[in-house]
Amino acid sequence: MVGHWTRGRRYGLSGRAWVLSEDPDDRRVLREATDRSNAGRAALAAYLKTLATEVAADGVTVNLLLPGRIATDRVAALDAARAEREQRPVTEVEAASKATIPAGRYGTPAEFGASAAFLCGDPASYITGTALRCDGGLVRSL
């Protein structure tokens, strides 16, 4: 992939590239794969930061868009699985999960889509090599 982007300089490549990271709550479900998953995420972030630097002069931006708990079928399935494991009502599991999010709720697919659209649009043409969290404040670090 680096070769493709590097060659793009010769051909006047321009545009936006963005990558979605998986839901951080998958780590709770896939505990055995946590180390590999964390290493993979770190490697992907480092690679994309390098790529962003290589293609910025061509007007290409590369950013990561990191979702938190977005109200999707996948998040509903994770909540249902947790409720079944813990023998609790799904509504109780959802409420507990939402209580960990400073915004107090799950994000909507439209909010996540708007974040992606922003990163891919002209107003974000000077934003490159960064990670944008769309998580309602769930991750407490920068």
Side-chain angles (χ1 to χ4, degrees), residues 27-75:
R27 286 177 282 170
R28 294 181 194 149
V29 176
L30 303 172
R31 291 184 191 277
E32 295 152 8
T34 298
D35 292 339
R36 288 182 301 245
S37 179
N38 288 341
R41 271 193 296 277
L44 177 62
Y47 170 74
L48 292 175
K49 180 64 174 176
T50 299
L51 180 61
T53 302
E54 291 180 4
V55 300
D58 297 315
V60 177
T61 63
V62 181
N63 296 293
L64 283 86
L65 180 54
L66 307 169
R69 300 286 288 186
I70 305 297
T72 62
D73 292 343
R74 171 75 174 140
V75 168

Side-chain angles (χ1 to χ4, degrees), residues 7 46 70 105:
R7 282 194 309 273
I70 305 297
R105 62 181 179 82

Side-chain angles (χ1 to χ4, degrees), residues 1 4 7-8 11 17 21 30 33 35 38 57 64 66 71 75-76 95 110 112 116-118 120 125-126 137 141:
M1 186 171 184
H4 168 76
R7 282 194 309 273
Y11 302 114
S21 175
L30 303 172
D35 292 339
N38 288 341
L64 283 86
L66 307 169
V75 168
F112 185 74
F118 168 73
C120 293
S125 63
Y126 195 64
S141 63

Side-chain angles (χ1 to χ4, degrees), residues 47-138:
Y47 170 74
L48 292 175
K49 180 64 174 176
T50 299
L51 180 61
T53 302
E54 291 180 4
V55 300
D58 297 315
V60 177
T61 63
V62 181
N63 296 293
L64 283 86
L65 180 54
L66 307 169
R69 300 286 288 186
I70 305 297
T72 62
D73 292 343
R74 171 75 174 140
V75 168
L78 289 171
D79 286 345
R82 183 173 177 192
E84 186 176 328
R85 273 193 321 274
E86 297 176 3
Q87 298 182 355
R88 296 192 304 162
V90 174
T91 54
E92 187 179 305
V93 169
E94 287 173 356
S97 181
K98 291 174 183 176
T100 68
I101 303 168
R105 62 181 179 82
Y106 291 161
T108 67
E111 289 169 322
F112 185 74
S115 299
F118 168 73
L119 283 177
C120 293
D122 287 336
S125 63
Y126 195 64
I127 299 172
T128 193
T130 193
L132 174 65
R133 295 188 185 281
C134 182
D135 68 357
L138 177 65

